[in-house]
Amino acid sequence: MLAKISEFIFGGTRGFNETENRLLSFLMDSLPAQEREILSRQLLSVRLVQRQNPGKLVVAYSKSGSEVPQLPYPGDEYCLANVTYKSGGRTKTTSLVLHNGRFMAFERNVPQSLSEIEAPSSVVLHPKGFKSVAQEIDAQEHGEPSE
């Protein structure tokens, strides 16, 4: 009951939807075993998922505490992978982003239904030159130019 009240107050859900889980499964299939285990434990600790900008940004919040292991990739917005898939005959890419070694967000093209993912194309781990789109999305929401 308390969890439902919290979801109502803070918005979001207690876990990922089937579309987000599908993207995560593509990632999990590409990770080395040790990292897959750590990420799996992190995903089990997620307590709230907010779809702050549907189609562009989904943020996951984990339980606090040191019992959840971290991946060895520090930084506020570290792109762990770009997942590319076919959608409506077009190629789209979703970035899966860490915050201080913990899974935090889906960024860019975030499909909202399973029917939007026709077929996975590729998973690129640790893409070079990743620049977070969080500021860009925020600027779009508020009608301000991004930096």
Side-chain angles (χ1 to χ4, degrees), residues 30 45 49 77 117 139 143:
S30 299
S45 76
V49 177
E77 296 178 7
I117 303 173

Side-chain angles (χ1 to χ4, degrees), residues 14-25:
R14 291 181 52 114
F16 299 107
N17 64 31
E18 61 185 355
T19 306
E20 295 151 0
N21 280 324
R22 179 90 166 144
L23 292 174
L24 288 167
S25 74

